[in-house]
């Protein structure tokens, strides 16, 4: 779309997925932050916002839907609507937005457009869409070839049919050109020179550079501020302007204490717009300062003050997150939409040079009318038939209830849908991949709160724990690997209490991985060559899913280690 709207020069080199500018987004292949751009088609300016699809980043979606009049719902021509599609679409329909369905990758050999459109229509019905919304326009497209059309067999030469559908089906902004100034802040950014920048769509009136405005929320006292600079989005850059008229999305500088959800209004007669409502978080983790013997070796920021400042700074733009003080001065409880929501924050912090420890994820329960309720999610698993038995058994163990089972796109693949407690999902992704030899695809989305489902067994094996501080040796690891699977290789520094492997039986086992071979004067007739198994490499997400109640993950810019929690271990003795 951007290329055909002549956003780039003909000879300009453009990277793939240009909207996903964050390093983490590129590495993981997902959208985490919402981004704005705009294009001009036949004299009409179209503002485009790229939002995340994953429900863990729902806070981003809920914010930016205030700024748009319609949505392009992109679905795959083979897979159809995914569980995450459901979340974003539900929000858009609640706002009453017009929807254009884009069936992408229509050039795939196994494409089944009719099935995809029918399942999308069923999803609209399930989400209580109005009759007008159910009568959606469908556009078939091949993003990689840059072609679109109104029927799968007859694609145009370019994306013209898609642009025409946007102009035809998505209404112009509902605004009051001559009303009193109103702009709801949906996003904020920070610039070293300009300070905090507020982003939002102008609902009414006209905004001018240098004018004095009133900043307020529905339940708060108002304050007067002055706008120093104004920008609008044009192609891929911000362009400074003197005035912005109602309906356009703009960036405002000069109000350094502005927060998401506040309204910039007319100084005399302005009234605040309703603030942004965000759903409650479902998962909580504890963040604390690093207490391991290796503290301060790899990170720049290690004190509780550094940690507190960084976490509270995150709250300014991450509305779906909450931070509370923990039991001790150096512990903070951080709540988010899911483990992915929190691991992205952890990964960003370690790249910025922070060093800290995290406890295992716990779900946030509610008590209503004296009954304990816990969050449930819908899990969709695509699995080849030969591994279906072991995956079904795994989900059953974790209190999952099967809701649907049907053949999926590729031959011999089945799509299983389960309603499962959020607790049961912690550690499930790795278990499903192991059970299906890496072939299963798991997608989850928050569903609702339901009755407590009882105790769950999540991990059958214990941990192998280092017995003393020191450097690992091949001689010691050869004996240790008979006890389970190791995380460490020879020559690595470890400390007492560090988790160095997975025990093959339940319960923890303390092992010596630093033992050296006795150097006696009795020579053995032949030096044996030591053959060690490959050490298991766990990512940050894997570690968080692996740890139990009495274990912690130590996160530093250079490494991720797991250890026993000394506070809990002492209590248990």
């Amino acid at each position: 779309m951007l290329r055909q709207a002549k956003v780039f020069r003909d000879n300009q080199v453009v990277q793939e997925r240009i909207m996903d500018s964050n390093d983490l987004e590129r590495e993981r292949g997902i959208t985490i932050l919402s981004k704005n751009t705009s294009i001009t088609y036949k004299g009409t300016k179209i503002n485009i916002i790229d939002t995340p699809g994953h429900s863990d980043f729902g806070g981003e979606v809920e914010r930016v839907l205030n700024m748009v009049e319609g949505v392009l719902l992109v679905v795959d021509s083979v897979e159809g609507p995914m569980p995450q599609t459901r979340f974003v679409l539900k929000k858009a329909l609640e706002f009453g937005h017009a929807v254009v369905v884009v069936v992408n990758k229509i050039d795939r050999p196994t494409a089944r457009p009719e099935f995809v459109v029918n399942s999308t229509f069923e999803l609209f019905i399930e989400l209580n869409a109005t009759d007008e919304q159910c009568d959606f326009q469908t556009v078939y497209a091949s993003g990689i070839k840059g072609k679109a059309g109104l029927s799968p067999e007859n694609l145009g030469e370019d994306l013209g049919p898609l642009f025409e559908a946007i102009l035809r089906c998505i209404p112009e902004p509902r605004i009051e050109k001559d009303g009193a100034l109103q702009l709801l802040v949906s996003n904020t950014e920070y610039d070293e020179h300009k300070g905090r920048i507020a982003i939002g769509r102008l609902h009414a009136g006209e905004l001018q550079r240098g004018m004095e405005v009133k900043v307020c929320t529905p339940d708060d006292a108002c304050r007067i501020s002055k706008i120093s600079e104004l920008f609008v989005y044009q192609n891929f850059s911000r362009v400074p302007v003197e005035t912005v008229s109602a309906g356009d999305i703009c960036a405002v500088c000069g109000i350094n204490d502005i927060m998401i959800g506040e309204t910039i209004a007319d100084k005399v007669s302005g009234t605040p717009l309703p603030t942004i409502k965000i759903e409650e978080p479902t998962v909580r983790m504890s963040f604390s300062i690093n207490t391991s013997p290796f503290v301060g070796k790899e990170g720049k920021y290690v004190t509780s003050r550094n940690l507190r400042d960084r976490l509270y700074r995150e709250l300014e733009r991450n509305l779906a997150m909450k931070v509370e003080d923990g039991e001790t001065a150096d512990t903070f409880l951080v709540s988010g939409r899911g483990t992915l929501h929190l691991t992205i924050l952890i990964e960003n912090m370690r790249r910025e040079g922070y060093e800290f420890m995290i406890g295992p994820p716990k779900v946030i329960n509610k008590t209503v009318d004296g009954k304990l309720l816990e969050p449930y999610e819908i899990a969709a698993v695509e699995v080849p038939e030969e591994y279906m038995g072991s995956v079904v058994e795994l989900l059953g163990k974790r209190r999952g209830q099967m809701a649907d089972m049907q053949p999926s796109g590729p031959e011999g693949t089945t799509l299983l849908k389960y309603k499962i407690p959020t607790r049961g999902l912690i550690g499930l992704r790795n278990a499903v991949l192991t059970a299906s030899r890496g072939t299963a695809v798991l997608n989850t989305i928050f569903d609702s709160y339901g009755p407590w489902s009882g105790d769950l067994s999540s991990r059958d094996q214990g941990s192998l724990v280092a017995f003393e501080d020191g450097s690992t040796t091949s001689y010691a690891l050869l004996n240790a690997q008979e006890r389970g699977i190791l995380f460490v290789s020879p020559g690595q520094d470890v400390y007492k209490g560090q988790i160095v492997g997975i025990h093959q039986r339940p319960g923890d086992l303390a092992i010596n991985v630093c033992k050296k071979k006795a150097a006696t004067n009795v020579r053995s007739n032949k030096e044996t060559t030591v053959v060690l198994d490959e050490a298991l490499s766990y990512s940050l997400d894997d570690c968080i899913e692996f740890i139990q109640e009495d274990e912690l993950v130590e996160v530093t810019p250079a490494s991720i280690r797991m250890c026993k929690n000394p506070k809990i271990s002492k209590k248990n003795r």
Side-chain angles (χ1 to χ4, degrees):
M1 286 174 78
L2 297 167
R3 187 169 271 123
Q4 291 186 16
K6 297 285 182 258
V7 168
F8 315 113
R9 297 189 315 275
D10 291 340
N11 62 348
Q12 190 171 343
V13 178
V14 182
Q15 57 194 16
E16 285 294 303
R17 297 207 317 275
I18 190 159
M19 296 288 268
D20 290 344
S21 50
N22 182 317
D23 288 346
L24 271 179
E25 293 180 316
R26 296 192 162 280
E27 284 166 30
R28 293 176 180 241
I30 56 174
T31 303
I32 297 168
L33 303 169
S34 304
K35 326 234 184 4
N36 303 27
T37 183
S38 78
I39 58 174
T40 305
Y41 180 75
K42 293 188 176 173
T44 306
K45 182 176 180 183
I46 304 172
N47 279 306
I48 299 176
I49 304 174
D50 180 24
T51 74
H54 202 287
S55 61
D56 277 21
F57 310 111
E60 290 279 325
V61 179
E62 285 155 337
R63 288 202 325 239
V64 299
L65 284 175
N66 283 292
M67 291 157 60
V68 299
E69 293 298 330
V71 294
L72 292 181
L73 182 72
V74 182
V75 288
D76 188 287
S77 65
V78 177
E79 294 165 344
M82 301 303 281
Q84 283 91 320
T85 314
R86 182 188 194 96
F87 172 79
V88 184
L89 180 59
K90 178 172 172 237
K91 292 287 165 204
L93 293 175
E94 283 171 6
F95 273 89
H97 291 331
V99 181
V100 174
V101 174
V102 182
V103 181
N104 192 22
K105 303 183 185 174
I106 199 70
D107 50 341
R108 283 177 71 172
T110 52
R112 40 182 191 166
E114 199 173 313
F115 164 81
V116 169
V117 172
N118 287 342
S119 48
T120 308
F121 180 72
E122 283 165 18
L123 182 59
F124 272 74
I125 302 289
E126 277 176 48
L127 296 175
N128 300 322
T130 62
D131 291 351
E132 290 81 37
Q133 287 171 327
C134 284
D135 187 19
F136 54 79
Q137 171 73 59
T138 307
V139 178
Y140 302 90
S142 163
I144 199 158
K145 291 182 178 172
K147 294 181 175 183
L150 298 181
S151 74
E153 297 82 29
N154 188 15
L155 295 186
E157 287 303 305
D158 56 13
L159 291 176
L162 175 60
F163 289 123
E164 295 293 343
I166 293 172
L167 295 183
R168 189 172 63 249
C169 304
I170 293 176
E172 290 185 7
R174 293 186 290 272
I175 49 165
E176 299 170 45
K177 266 211 161 23
D178 307 320
L181 171 69
Q182 276 185 321
L183 180 145
L184 182 69
V185 178
S186 304
N187 208 345
T188 58
E189 286 180 12
Y190 187 79
D191 184 282
E192 284 183 7
H193 306 294
K194 298 182 177 70
R196 191 174 297 181
I197 302 170
I199 299 165
R201 189 176 73 175
L202 195 54
H203 282 262
E206 192 177 69
L207 199 55
Q208 294 175 349
R209 193 164 81 94
M211 80 189 286
E212 289 198 335
V213 291
K214 189 161 69 174
V215 180
C216 45
T217 55
D219 50 359
D220 234 342
C222 299
R223 56 191 190 277
I224 302 292
S225 286
K226 189 174 180 182
I227 291 168
S228 60
E229 287 184 85
L230 264 182
F231 297 89
V232 291
Y233 289 89
Q234 195 174 326
N235 298 346
F236 258 108
S237 50
R238 287 201 198 107
V239 182
V241 288
E242 289 297 317
T243 60
V244 176
S245 52
D248 209 351
I249 293 174
C250 62
V252 179
C253 306
I255 311 172
N256 280 330
D257 56 351
I258 195 147
M259 301 293 280
I260 292 170
E262 291 185 325
T263 303
I264 297 175
D266 186 74
K267 187 180 174 185
V268 183
S269 58
T271 52
L273 288 160
T275 190
I276 299 168
K277 288 188 178 66
I278 297 283
E279 284 180 11
E280 289 295 301
T282 55
V283 174
R284 178 184 290 138
M285 278 178 182
S286 67
F287 283 54
S288 57
I289 59 166
N290 191 357
T291 52
S292 86
F294 296 166
V295 62
K297 285 188 177 177
E298 295 165 356
K300 277 195 292 188
Y301 310 109
V302 294
T303 65
S304 60
R305 190 172 58 87
N306 294 143
L307 190 58
R308 167 190 279 276
D309 290 350
R310 177 64 181 84
L311 290 173
Y312 279 97
R313 200 162 70 243
E314 184 69 20
L315 292 184
E316 290 177 4
R317 60 159 297 119
N318 207 330
L319 287 196
M321 206 168 262
K322 286 188 177 170
V323 178
E324 305 155 73
D325 290 345
E327 293 171 7
T328 57
D330 52 18
T331 307
F332 306 95
L333 296 175
V334 183
S335 311
R337 279 291 182 74
T339 45
L340 182 64
H341 189 198
L342 295 171
T343 48
I344 294 293
L345 166 67
I346 294 163
E347 185 62 52
N348 277 326
M349 285 173 66
R350 74 178 273 238
R351 290 180 184 205
E352 289 164 22
Y354 286 85
E355 210 175 279
F356 52 99
M357 285 191 160
I358 331 151
K362 292 176 185 165
V363 300
I364 299 170
N365 299 320
K366 284 182 183 173
T367 306
V368 179
D369 301 333
K371 287 182 184 165
L372 184 61
L373 303 180
E374 67 171 325
Y376 280 77
E377 307 212 11
I378 300 289
V381 191
E382 271 185 57
V383 60
E385 278 169 14
E386 64 218 79
Y387 304 117
M388 204 167 84
S390 47
V391 170
V392 167
E393 185 188 353
L394 199 63
L395 289 156
K397 261 188 194 172
R398 291 166 176 258
R399 308 270 172 173
Q401 296 167 339
M402 191 184 284
D404 190 18
M405 176 174 157
Q406 60 188 52
S408 177
E411 288 300 307
T413 306
T414 306
L415 179 67
L416 305 169
K417 279 192 183 166
Y418 272 81
K419 186 171 180 179
I420 184 169
T422 303
R423 284 182 302 145
L425 288 174
I426 296 168
L428 180 66
R429 197 173 297 274
N430 276 343
V432 164
L433 285 174
T434 307
S436 65
R437 305 265 173 101
T439 54
V441 179
L442 171 69
N443 284 297
T444 60
I445 175 142
F446 173 71
D447 182 50
S448 59
Y449 273 83
W452 177 260
S453 60
D455 291 335
L456 287 174
S457 65
S458 56
R459 198 173 104 194
D460 303 329
Q461 296 150 310
S463 304
L464 295 175
V465 184
F467 184 70
E468 60 181 357
D469 299 1
S471 187
T472 55
T473 65
S474 313
Y475 175 68
L477 293 179
L478 184 65
N479 294 326
Q481 73 182 17
E482 292 168 14
R483 304 285 186 183
I485 305 166
L486 296 175
F487 295 138
V488 289
S489 311
Q492 254 177 274
D493 287 337
V494 295
Y495 55 84
K496 186 179 177 180
Q498 184 179 330
I499 297 170
V500 292
I502 306 172
H503 192 198
Q504 60 201 17
R505 296 195 174 86
D508 296 340
L509 179 70
I511 57 168
N512 190 344
V513 286
C514 306
K515 190 177 174 187
K516 293 184 172 64
K517 192 172 182 182
T520 62
N521 59 357
V522 180
R523 298 278 171 88
S524 57
N525 52 4
K526 171 165 151 282
E527 277 296 315
T528 55
T529 48
V530 175
V531 181
L532 292 175
D533 297 339
E534 181 87 22
L536 194 61
S537 173
Y538 261 14
S539 69
L540 175 64
D541 302 66
D542 298 333
C543 291
I544 286 170
E545 290 194 341
F546 177 79
I547 56 172
Q548 296 282 51
E549 200 60 27
D550 62 339
E551 294 167 351
L552 297 167
V553 179
E554 178 193 348
V555 178
T556 74
S559 46
I560 294 165
R561 307 180 190 92
M562 292 178 281
C563 62
K564 299 307 272 185
N565 187 342
K567 292 175 188 169
I568 297 180
S569 305
K570 281 173 191 164
K571 281 182 200 168
N572 294 344
R573 278 178 200 148

